[in-house]
Structures are given as C-alpha cells and as structure tokens.
Amino acid sequence: MKFLLSPSISLPLASLLLASCLTGCKQDASSEAKGATPARPAAPAAPTDPEQVTISAAQAQAAGIALGSFTRQNMASEVQANGVVDVPPQNLVSISAVLGGYVQQVQVLPGQFVKKGTTVAVLRHPDYLKLQEAYLQSRARVRFLSQELERQRILDVEDVGAKRKLQQAQADYATEQATQRSLAAQLGQLNISAERLASSGRIQPTVSLTTPLSGYVRTVNTNPGQFVNPQDVLVEIVDRSDLHLQLKVFERDVARIRVGQSILFTVPSRRMAQEIMRARVFLVGKAFENDARTVTVHAHLEGPETETLLPGQYVAARIQTAGQRTRTLPEEALIQAGELSYGYVQTGATSSTAAFRRIKMKAGAAAHGDVAVTPLDPIPDTTRVVLRGAYFLDAERGKGQGNDD
C-alpha cells in the first residue's frame, strides 16, 4: 500500500527538513572547529628548594648517615706561629783560641756530653812560650825595682840621695807591677796559671781550651795541625737544661698574646710529625724584628716528650689565646667552601625516605677533631644535625641541581 504526499503538505515538510539539516551541519562544524583548537599547556610545577635533598632509607644506611646535635665546649681561639727550638744565650758557648796557634789535639766529638772544665782542644805556638818568658822576666824585674826603691828611700831619709832618683824608682816599680799584672791576666786567658808558673819556673809548650759549662758538643770545626785564629769558632757546647721555643708572631696577632697562654706545637721533621707537644708563653717581645713585622715570643717546654727535642729544630705552633663556650660539630660534619662552611640538618623522615636541608655556618677554632661553628640562621640546639655523611648528601643535592649550587 503506497502513501503519497499531497502537494500542499510536501513543501512545508521539505522546509523543515532543510532547516534541520542546516542546524546539524552548523553544530558539526562548530564541533570540528572546537576539536581543532590546541590544548592548553599544563601549569608549571612549583620550583624545588635548592638547599633541600631527599634520599631513601637504603641510601642513608649505605652512606652511613649519622645524626646528632650540637655540643657546647670551651674552645680556644688560636694564633698560628712558626719558630725553632732554642736555648738562652748563656746556655750556648762558642770556644775559640784567645791567641792564634796550631791545633795539636781535639779531644771531643759532636754529640758528646762534657762537664764544665773539660779540655776540648790543645794548641801550641811559640807566642805562648814568649808570653810565659815575658811574665817571668817581669816578675824578676819587679823584685829588683822593689829593692832599688827601698835603697832610694833609705838614702832619702839620710838626706843623701836626690829626690828625683826616689821618684824615678817609685815610677819604675809601679810601671813594672802593671806589666806583671797584665801578663798574668793574659796567661789566665790562655788557661795558664801564673802562680804555678812563678813557683815552678817551668814553661809549658801548649795551652788547653776548656768548656766553661756542662753540656753536649754541638759542633767541632777544627782538626789537628790546623792553624786557628782568635775569631775562629773551634767547638760549640750547648746546655739543654733550659730548652724553649722561639716563635715569630705577626703584627696583626701580637695584641692577642699574653704571658701564661698554652701552646700546642708539632715538629714536622720528626718521624711522628703529628705528635702534639705543649709549651707555655713566658716572654713576649716588645719590638718588631727588622722589616719582617714579627715579634718574638718565648715559651717554656712542658711534658717529658719534649726532652728529646734538639736546638734548632723547626716547629709549627698554635698559641691558645682565649677560651669561650660555643657550639661545636665534628670536622667531618662540615663542608668547606671558602670563608663559609656548610652542614646538613634533618627536616623530615618517613619509614622509606629522609629529607635534609643545607645550612650555612662559619667555622672557628678546631681542637681534638671538633670545630667551633656559628650557624648564620637561628637554629635550636636540639636540631638534628648530620654528624657523618655530609659529603654524600652534598653530592646528592648537586645531582638534583645539575651540580649547580
């Protein structure tokens, strides 16, 4: 059965269908247009803290991260100084010949201990003989002039002799006495007894050089057969009973040095170069050393370990100038970066991760493995601080920042 649309109905229906088609096409076009629009970019993530680092619990355990807190200790500030082990001038003697001569014997060796008065060398020279001869002649002349003076006095009393002869006899006697005393003194400097020479009349062909103090032979600068002059140093003797440190302190640090301050020092040349020994300041110089702008500081040695030191050994010293109670951390807890140092504190932790933050600190004096620190931001003493493993955390933080601090 067929249905036919009448002409009167077909026109409105066609119009309706056309409008519907146009509306649908517009909607499809609008949808296509909307679909062609590019998607909006996602909002950027919040920037991370460059001082923060987070690691896993396994990493913390493998790196040996150890936490703790600040400790407070009496830390002394220090002045660095260099110097030598020395002895007072009166404890070091240089032995020379008062009158030049030839060395006949050398009776000591370097390092040998000698007592006061020990002969260290024997010299010979014709001048030694002539000096003894002159003394004996002067002594005989003094006796003659003494007798002559007595005769002139008797004649003067009897008013027989002239006054002039008495006066001449007095002058001659006084002059010869002076000569005799001078020659006796010269013989004494040569270690020759004038009294023994006068009583025995025996002239000795050699003279002995003796040490005026007990000590160790430091150097021997001569040998038998050598001719030595008065300015030549033949033997040096050092008395080690009063060893001390002689340190050079720069001008900027002089005002901090006081008598009685403790000194820690090491001797780099020793086998145990890191062995720390002690001394105490007993004298601070009051003038600068030439153009070096340094002041000499003397210190007494303390402790039995200093007994093996030798005069002239170089030392590196730290003078303890002041003490105050301050925060400290182990040296391995700090990362040096120029004038500043860095440490790490824990900011959070879970069962699987731990978070840390880098903080700036100013390092001060160090002693026995601890360093005085001053955080540049307020931090309570109870803060959990990384005592070991700071370098590992710093490396991990650098990775997260592209190695840029």
Side-chain angles (χ1 to χ4, degrees):
M1 183 176 184
K2 297 180 180 179
F3 293 93
L4 297 175
L5 296 176
S6 64
S8 60
I9 296 174
S10 61
L11 183 61
L13 181 58
S15 299
L16 180 60
L17 293 173
L18 180 60
S20 176
C21 180
L22 291 174
T23 302
C25 290
K26 288 181 180 180
Q27 289 179 349
D28 292 341
S30 176
S31 299
E32 292 177 0
K34 290 181 180 179
T37 303
R40 294 181 181 178
T48 59
D49 188 347
E51 305 297 332
Q52 193 84 10
V53 60
T54 301
I55 62 174
S56 66
Q59 286 179 304
Q61 183 177 3
I65 302 295
L67 300 176
S69 58
F70 294 103
T71 58
R72 289 189 175 270
Q73 302 183 45
N74 286 324
M75 298 293 287
S77 59
E78 298 178 337
V79 170
Q80 303 290 333
N82 297 323
V84 295
V85 179
D86 200 8
V87 294
Q90 63 270 20
N91 284 40
L92 176 64
V93 60
S94 298
I95 301 176
S96 302
V98 177
L99 190 61
Y102 293 93
V103 179
Q104 180 166 306
Q105 295 179 17
V106 178
Q107 300 185 355
V108 293
L109 293 173
Q112 178 182 344
F113 178 80
V114 293
K115 294 183 178 180
K116 180 178 180 180
T118 300
T119 298
V120 298
V122 178
L123 306 182
R124 57 181 172 80
H125 196 275
D127 287 345
Y128 305 156
L129 306 177
K130 294 178 181 179
L131 186 59
Q132 297 175 75
E133 178 187 2
Y135 173 77
L136 293 176
Q137 291 176 347
S138 178
R139 185 177 177 85
R141 184 166 174 77
V142 165
R143 286 198 300 269
F144 168 75
L145 292 176
S146 175
Q147 295 169 356
E148 178 64 21
L149 177 59
E150 187 62 28
R151 284 193 294 270
Q152 292 299 326
R153 284 176 176 169
I154 294 173
L155 293 176
D156 181 66
V157 170
E158 296 177 355
D159 200 18
V160 175
K163 289 285 187 185
R164 182 176 128 345
K165 289 185 178 181
L166 175 60
Q167 294 169 352
Q168 183 65 47
Q170 291 174 334
D172 291 343
Y173 178 70
T175 300
E176 197 60 37
Q177 277 188 318
T179 301
Q180 179 184 348
R181 285 193 291 267
S182 174
L183 291 171
Q186 294 179 51
L187 291 174
Q189 291 181 350
L190 292 175
N191 203 27
I192 297 176
S193 172
E195 293 182 0
R196 186 180 301 113
L197 175 61
S199 61
S200 65
R202 297 179 58 183
I203 296 178
Q204 61 185 71
T206 60
V207 299
S208 299
L209 301 183
T210 60
T211 171
L213 54 76
S214 299
Y216 291 87
V217 179
R218 183 179 183 182
T219 57
V220 177
N221 303 317
T222 187
N223 54 268
Q226 179 183 1
F227 181 82
V228 294
N229 293 302
Q231 66 268 23
D232 297 331
V233 176
L234 308 185
V235 179
E236 286 185 325
I237 307 294
V238 59
D239 179 5
R240 300 181 66 259
S241 62
D242 193 14
L243 287 178
H244 69 271
L245 297 185
Q246 180 175 299
L247 305 175
K248 301 295 183 183
V249 177
F250 287 103
E251 178 180 4
R252 65 177 180 271
D253 298 322
V254 171
R256 301 165 57 189
I257 309 301
R258 298 287 186 275
V259 173
Q261 289 173 339
S262 178
I263 297 176
L264 304 178
F265 71 95
T266 59
V267 181
S269 62
R270 290 168 66 97
R271 184 176 181 180
M272 299 178 62
Q274 301 305 317
E275 181 184 5
I276 297 178
M277 289 171 277
R278 296 180 178 274
R280 192 167 298 276
V281 176
F282 75 89
L283 179 64
V284 180
K286 302 302 180 183
F288 290 108
E289 295 285 338
N290 300 326
D291 298 330
R293 307 306 297 173
T294 60
V295 170
T296 302
V297 174
H298 296 272
H300 284 307
L301 302 178
E302 296 181 344
E305 64 275 8
T306 62
E307 294 178 359
T308 59
L309 295 178
L310 300 175
Q313 282 185 311
Y314 175 83
V315 300
R318 307 193 308 271
I319 305 175
Q320 312 293 299
T321 57
Q324 58 180 353
R325 196 165 182 80
T326 183
R327 285 176 170 179
T328 63
L329 287 175
E331 291 181 349
E332 59 183 332
L334 296 179
I335 299 171
Q336 298 295 331
E339 294 184 357
L340 290 178
S341 298
Y342 293 94
Y344 280 85
V345 298
Q346 188 180 55
T347 57
T350 66
S351 60
S352 59
T353 62
F356 303 90
R357 179 179 177 80
R358 187 176 75 162
I359 58 173
K360 294 180 180 180
M361 299 184 184
K362 187 171 183 179
H368 311 298
D370 293 329
V371 181
V373 294
T374 304
L376 299 188
D377 295 322
I379 298 177
D381 281 349
T382 56
T383 302
R384 300 289 287 171
V385 183
V386 175
L387 303 182
R388 186 171 64 248
Y391 280 91
F392 172 79
L393 293 177
D394 205 55
E396 291 297 313
R397 186 194 64 84
K399 292 178 183 178
Q401 301 299 323
N403 292 326
D404 293 334
D405 288 337

